Amino acid sequence: MVAGSPALLLLLSLGLCFTGAQGQGNTMAVSFLNRSMKHPQEGQRLGLECHTYKTSWGVSWIRLDKDGNLHFIVYISWFSLTTFPGNKGASSQFEVSKQGSSYRLIVKNFRARDQGIYFCIANINQVLHFSSGQRAFFPVTTTTAAPTTLRAVTLTATTQSSQVTMKDISQHSPDPGPSSP
């Protein structure tokens, strides 16, 4: 990942500051409802669970997309009242529920736009707590390509603009053998 998006840096810094600063450790964790799942599949129902280890009055679900943008999904209260974007009480894309100290999020029809890292956030005793993140990306399909040789690579990183550029790069196909003089 490049030097970092502001959203990701904010999320990580808040998570480190708020959950670790007071010696409370990790008070929340997110996982797939199906514990044996490694990667979601296109079109499936994807279940996620946020388990809180301390009493909270509710949690918010957010998704960090592959471009580093945060997306608010829903807030679900201790009393199972929900608030989706636009102050709506329901969503055609998501279902939520609360069972004990667990808050569940169901992506009804998982699509490429839903890929990302899912987090839950709770305000516990006026302190924000961020869960561990659950990666939800399609499996990477690999193909066998002809080997190439990469020569003279110079990387230049610019931290202010968070961009990486490559100079003096030359790729060559495998050497076809000795050339004739």
Side-chain angles (χ1 to χ4, degrees):
M1 185 166 170
V2 187
S5 73
L8 178 60
L9 293 174
L10 173 65
L11 182 64
L12 291 174
S13 65
L14 286 175
L16 292 174
C17 292
F18 288 119
T19 60
Q22 298 179 10
Q24 296 172 348
N26 195 8
T27 58
M28 303 167 64
V30 172
S31 61
F32 290 129
L33 277 175
N34 176 352
R35 302 283 192 240
S36 64
M37 177 181 286
K38 299 289 183 212
H39 299 282
Q41 301 295 321
E42 178 93 20
Q44 84 174 104
R45 281 176 66 90
L46 175 65
L48 297 157
E49 182 174 46
C50 173
H51 184 76
T52 59
Y53 300 103
K54 294 193 177 218
T55 303
S56 87
W57 290 102
V59 302
S60 292
W61 281 94
I62 59 172
R63 177 179 54 88
L64 179 66
D65 69 20
K66 63 182 179 185
D67 296 323
N69 299 309
L70 287 172
H71 301 271
F72 170 77
I73 299 169
V74 65
Y75 171 80
I76 181 169
S77 75
W78 176 259
F79 304 106
S80 297
L81 300 173
T82 58
T83 306
F84 288 91
N87 209 22
K88 295 182 179 173
S91 167
S92 60
Q93 189 178 356
F94 301 102
E95 294 174 5
V96 291
S97 63
K98 179 184 178 301
Q99 295 180 353
S101 61
S102 292
Y103 295 81
R104 293 183 176 180
L105 173 70
I106 305 293
V107 182
K108 294 179 183 179
N109 188 8
F110 194 82
R111 298 284 178 217
R113 70 173 184 251
D114 300 315
Q115 294 184 99
I117 305 172
Y118 287 78
F119 297 88
C120 59
I121 303 171
N123 186 340
I124 303 171
N125 295 328
Q126 300 177 359
V127 176
L128 284 178
H129 293 263
F130 287 76
S131 71
S132 56
Q134 175 61 59
R135 298 177 59 82
F137 293 96
F138 293 141
V140 177
T141 55
T142 57
T143 57
T144 305
T148 58
T149 305
L150 188 58
R151 302 175 198 253
V153 176
T154 304
L155 293 177
T156 305
T158 307
T159 56
Q160 286 182 335
S161 64
S162 300
Q163 294 178 350
V164 175
T165 59
M166 292 187 178
K167 293 194 263 180
D168 302 326
I169 211 168
S170 32
Q171 284 189 327
H172 300 282
S173 295
D175 194 4
S179 57
S180 302

